[in-house]
Amino acid sequence: MSMADARVIQLVMSLRGQGVTDRHVLGAIERTPRNAFVPDRFLDHAFEDRALPIDCGQTISQPLVVGLMTQLLNVDDRCKVLEIGTGSGYQAAILSKLARRVYTIERYRTLGKEAEARFSKLRLSNITPRIGDGTKGWPEQAPFDRIIVTAGAPVRPDTLLEQLKPGGIAVVPVDNDGGTQTLIRYTRSDDGSLQEDAISKVRFVPLVEGETKAL
Ligand code: SAH
């Protein structure tokens, strides 16, 4: 067994102890090499349960948060999923092992292109990445069975929630006053109404509206 294998198994066991109990989610984490998503200078920390810096001043999320959010999303292989905030591509890679298709949007071209190269290298062919402003969602591909936002939204992201199918689930960190967010799970019922459940406090980089200038 390689070092990476032993370390990923240890990580999975630690996540299970902290509430990530869905075996499909744990299996997807186990089969996703986080070392392929972190900058070289952080390789030694790739399998630790912590967020790490990536390019453009952004972060790859903490594995526990990835595990809990993925579990809340309740994805299966019939799901068409939209992710806002591709970042390193790690969360999208995990979703790609559970969903039928993953659409992911990143506003920084540098990050989006790096993530796309990782998806090709790992042969994750059911991920469609795009550079742009994710706050507008992806109207051409809507509606979605699941939507996940991996950046802190200042307010409830109604434009995105309009792209959620009846029976669909969205998981979004929504800002409190003072730099933290509450992780909210939105469930769209078959009659179209939206249920809102506050799950836990989290800390994400901000969801920024608008285009970037060729970054
Ligand atoms: N899911 C990522 C976490 C990335 S951090 C991972 O697994 O690594 C959040 C990302 O959201 C950052 O890369 C940031 O640039 C991006 N982001 C912020 N606002 C955005 C927007 N309006 N549209 C798309 N991406 C956005």
Side-chain angles (χ1 to χ4, degrees):
M1 187 186 285
S2 72
M3 276 306 284
D5 290 342
R7 285 154 66 198
V8 81
I9 286 165
Q10 203 165 38
L11 175 63
V12 162
M13 284 179 358
S14 145
L15 299 187
R16 187 194 287 143
Q18 294 175 88
V20 184
T21 51
D22 183 309
R23 66 189 171 88
H24 299 291
V25 174
L26 291 170
I29 292 171
E30 191 174 327
R31 288 180 287 122
T32 304
R34 193 167 184 257
N35 53 304
F37 294 86
V38 305
D40 283 347
R41 67 185 188 284
F42 292 114
L43 269 181
D44 286 350
H45 303 288
F47 294 98
E48 292 170 13
D49 188 18
R50 53 180 275 207
L52 293 168
I54 56 175
D55 283 345
C56 306
Q58 306 302 311
T59 52
I60 173 173
S61 307
Q62 183 189 350
L64 177 61
V65 175
V66 172
L68 291 172
M69 287 176 79
T70 307
Q71 178 167 281
L72 284 167
L73 215 52
N74 198 20
V75 176
D76 67 41
D77 59 9
R78 290 164 309 204
C79 285
K80 180 177 176 182
V81 182
L82 174 64
E83 180 196 27
I84 308 305
T86 313
S88 69
Y90 179 65
Q91 171 75 73
I94 287 174
L95 289 168
S96 79
K97 304 207 188 296
L98 301 166
R100 178 165 57 82
R101 183 127 222 121
V102 179
Y103 295 86
T104 182
I105 309 179
E106 170 56 52
R107 66 192 287 271
Y108 283 107
R109 178 166 302 279
T110 307
L111 292 175
K113 290 294 159 196
E114 286 171 351
E116 186 170 10
R118 291 178 182 125
F119 301 149
S120 307
K121 196 169 171 200
L122 296 170
R123 300 184 194 286
L124 304 175
S125 55
N126 62 338
I127 306 177
T128 308
R130 171 193 229 182
I131 313 292
D133 178 8
T135 62
K136 298 181 173 58
W138 197 320
E140 301 84 351
Q141 289 297 341
F144 296 93
D145 300 289
R146 302 288 185 267
I147 299 176
I148 181 170
V149 180
T150 62
V155 293
R156 188 172 80 169
D158 286 322
T159 308
L160 289 174
L161 295 172
E162 281 163 19
Q163 297 180 16
L164 190 61
K165 274 186 202 172
I169 299 171
V171 174
V172 187
V174 180
D175 276 5
N176 307 313
D177 297 326
T180 64
Q181 301 95 32
T182 302
L183 194 59
I184 312 269
R185 180 177 51 193
Y186 299 96
T187 311
R188 165 113 32 229
S189 63
D190 290 327
D191 68 19
S193 64
L194 205 60
Q195 186 190 321
E196 204 173 308
D197 297 298
I199 306 295
S200 60
K201 295 269 179 285
V202 286
R203 187 182 288 270
F204 277 88
V205 296
L207 182 71
V208 180
E209 202 169 334
E211 303 293 329
T212 57
K213 294 178 205 71
L215 290 165

